[in-house]
Amino acid sequence: QVTPVESGGGLVQAGGSLRLSCRASGFILPHSIGWFRQAPGKEREGVACISSVDDTTYYTDSVKGRFTITRDTAKNMVYLQMDNLKPEDTAVYYCAAFEAFEKILKLEAWRYDYWGQGTQVTVSS
């Protein structure tokens, strides 16, 4: 029904910027779209999410002030602007989504039903 497709990863130096893109369509209910990341040997971590209801957002503490999630409804796109990147941001980044009958803004991986294939972000020091 919904298959997110993300892109925009790459290799950058510490302090640099990248913008990730996620295309996702086919929703029939209100939904949350989130970005998660997973580094080798580590747990999958929620990064940011945005609600389709009112574009409110939520960020994990480690990226506040550096990352910005936005949505372009007309283009079925969600973006993650990443500034002042740090080596610890290195991971595979996944776009994910879930639908619900009400607004739910959470970064809990178990809630998300639809996942993209991931895009690699590498930050060198």
Side-chain angles (χ1 to χ4, degrees):
Q1 186 70 50
V2 178
T3 303
V5 179
E6 61 272 77
S7 61
L11 173 63
V12 297
Q13 292 185 320
S17 298
L18 284 173
R19 189 175 79 157
L20 305 183
S21 300
C22 173
R23 186 181 300 276
S25 61
F27 298 104
I28 60 174
L29 293 174
H31 49 277
S32 175
I33 301 178
W35 288 96
F36 293 77
R37 64 188 182 186
Q38 188 165 27
K42 295 187 177 180
E43 304 290 323
R44 186 164 296 186
E45 174 190 31
V47 177
C49 58
I50 187 166
S51 172
S52 70
V53 175
D54 56 8
D55 280 351
T56 53
T57 59
Y58 177 79
Y59 300 89
T60 192
D61 286 345
S62 64
V63 307
K64 287 181 179 177
R66 299 190 298 121
F67 291 10
T68 305
I69 186 170
T70 57
R71 186 171 69 105
D72 185 336
T73 303
K75 296 181 179 180
N76 300 126
M77 298 292 291
V78 173
Y79 304 99
L80 184 68
Q81 177 68 41
M82 305 185 294
D83 297 319
N84 192 24
L85 283 160
K86 303 176 179 180
E88 50 263 45
D89 295 317
T90 295
V92 176
Y93 282 69
Y94 298 90
C95 182
F98 72 93
E99 296 177 295
F101 290 104
E102 61 190 27
K103 176 185 174 182
I104 302 175
L105 200 62
K106 300 284 188 179
L107 281 174
E108 299 168 321
W110 61 266
R111 294 182 179 272
Y112 289 77
D113 299 306
Y114 313 111
W115 292 82
Q117 63 187 10
T119 185
Q120 177 71 47
V121 172
T122 303
V123 184
S124 64
S125 59

